[in-house]
Amino acid sequence: MKRKSIVLILVLILSILCITATGCFTKNVTEEVNVANNNFAFEKVVGEVINSTVTITCVTDNGTSGGAGVVVSSEGHILTNYHVISGARSVTVRFADAEESEYSGLAYNADIVSEIKDGSAYTNMDLALIKIRGSLSTKFKPVKIKTEQVKWGEYGVIIGNPKQVGSLCAHAMVSNPSRLMEHKVKVVHKTEFITLDAPVNPGNSGGGFFDSNGKLAGIVTLRQYDDSEANKNVVFGIAFAMPANTVNKYLQRYGINL
């Protein structure tokens, strides 16, 4: 009887050890798979949208400035922020050096599309439309719009032109899906923004925030900073993007439907 009890205890201990080991193994495998899936998702999204994004360089009376934009029509219409092209004497757009792209690295002159003064709230938005100049031998790939509102904690990617070094991508998380705040461009205007946990710098303005399916969820517009000299005291990881519904309504004024 005593021997049977000892055997049962040993069997029980071995069973517990096996279950624990199996649980640890499963956890490790699951963690590795999740990391791999995340990497694949980011790579897949950027690969799908990189040919629908551009960097923008403007020549002004004070030198040059720049930003980013997204293609919104196959005829070469590009959406960006108004403050990116404000005061520009000439505008140049350049596509990223992407593999298997018929316009990889190509640069084009662009014209600023005249603003529609229809008295709507969108007249004072920090958004602008430009168009690649001249007749084109190729049809560009417009972005796809996200129709659903983004959610707390949703992940995506941003693509812009930080510090005017060319097209760069970065991960972004929705820190707050909807925040109403004042933004002064032409006039002080209260606008809805998506708050992002993303490394946004000068030159990211006008670039796209894309969800995990490669759909345009917003236009990166602002970052958190104070009024110190040259924006030295920047708060990184707090950025703002105009949501897709605002973008869509703005473009519809020009007959563009994504």
Side-chain angles (χ1 to χ4, degrees):
M1 188 72 178
K2 196 172 183 181
R3 182 177 297 176
K4 287 183 178 179
S5 298
I6 294 172
V7 170
L8 287 173
I9 292 172
L10 290 173
V11 170
L12 182 61
I13 292 172
L14 287 172
S15 298
I16 293 172
L17 289 174
C18 288
I19 292 171
T20 303
T22 302
C24 292
F25 176 74
T26 303
K27 182 180 178 182
N28 289 337
V29 170
T30 302
E31 287 176 351
E32 288 177 5
V33 170
N34 286 341
V35 170
N37 287 343
N38 287 338
N39 290 339
F40 174 75
F42 286 128
E43 180 182 351
K44 184 172 182 292
V45 170
V46 174
E48 288 180 354
V49 302
I50 193 66
N51 293 329
S52 303
T53 63
V54 298
T55 62
I56 298 175
T57 302
C58 299
V59 176
T60 69
D61 290 335
N62 299 318
T64 60
S65 61
V70 295
V71 178
V72 292
S73 82
S74 58
E75 288 74 33
H77 289 91
I78 293 167
L79 181 69
T80 186
N81 284 132
Y82 177 81
H83 73 259
V84 170
I85 53 87
S86 179
R89 294 168 53 190
S90 67
V91 180
T92 303
V93 302
R94 183 181 294 275
F95 287 85
D97 287 314
E99 295 181 0
E100 300 179 0
S101 170
E102 59 184 316
Y103 37 87
S104 175
L106 293 180
Y108 299 91
N109 293 323
D111 295 315
I112 299 172
V113 177
S114 298
E115 178 64 47
I116 295 177
K117 302 293 184 181
D118 57 5
S120 69
Y122 301 98
T123 299
N124 294 318
M125 290 285 183
D126 189 4
L127 292 170
L129 196 63
I130 61 178
K131 187 179 184 302
I132 291 175
R133 185 182 302 166
S135 58
L136 305 173
S137 59
T138 183
K139 294 293 184 180
F140 295 106
K141 180 184 175 184
V143 295
K144 296 178 181 178
I145 199 78
K146 183 179 178 71
T147 55
E148 310 85 8
Q149 185 179 14
V150 296
K151 299 177 181 179
W152 291 84
E154 184 173 347
Y155 266 98
V157 298
I158 62 171
I159 300 179
N161 180 23
K163 297 294 185 181
Q164 300 182 54
V165 298
S167 294
L168 294 180
C169 62
H171 67 274
M173 183 182 74
V174 176
S175 300
N176 188 325
S178 180
R179 179 180 178 184
L180 199 62
M181 54 187 286
E182 289 186 345
H183 176 41
K184 183 178 180 180
V185 182
K186 306 170 191 175
V187 296
V188 176
H189 188 72
K190 190 163 277 191
T191 308
E192 180 187 2
F193 286 98
I194 301 168
T195 307
L196 298 174
D197 176 12
V200 169
N201 291 284
N204 275 110
S205 293
F209 165 51
F210 299 92
D211 71 4
S212 59
N213 294 312
K215 293 183 178 179
L216 181 68
I219 293 292
V220 176
T221 302
L222 299 168
R223 62 174 182 165
Q224 186 74 33
Y225 65 91
D226 62 21
D227 294 326
S228 61
E229 183 181 354
N231 288 344
K232 290 180 180 177
N233 296 324
V234 176
V235 180
F236 288 101
I238 304 179
F240 305 97
M242 286 195 185
N245 63 326
T246 299
V247 168
N248 218 10
K249 290 176 181 177
Y250 178 84
L251 290 174
Q252 287 172 358
R253 299 162 72 240
Y254 296 90
I256 297 174
N257 294 284
L258 293 178

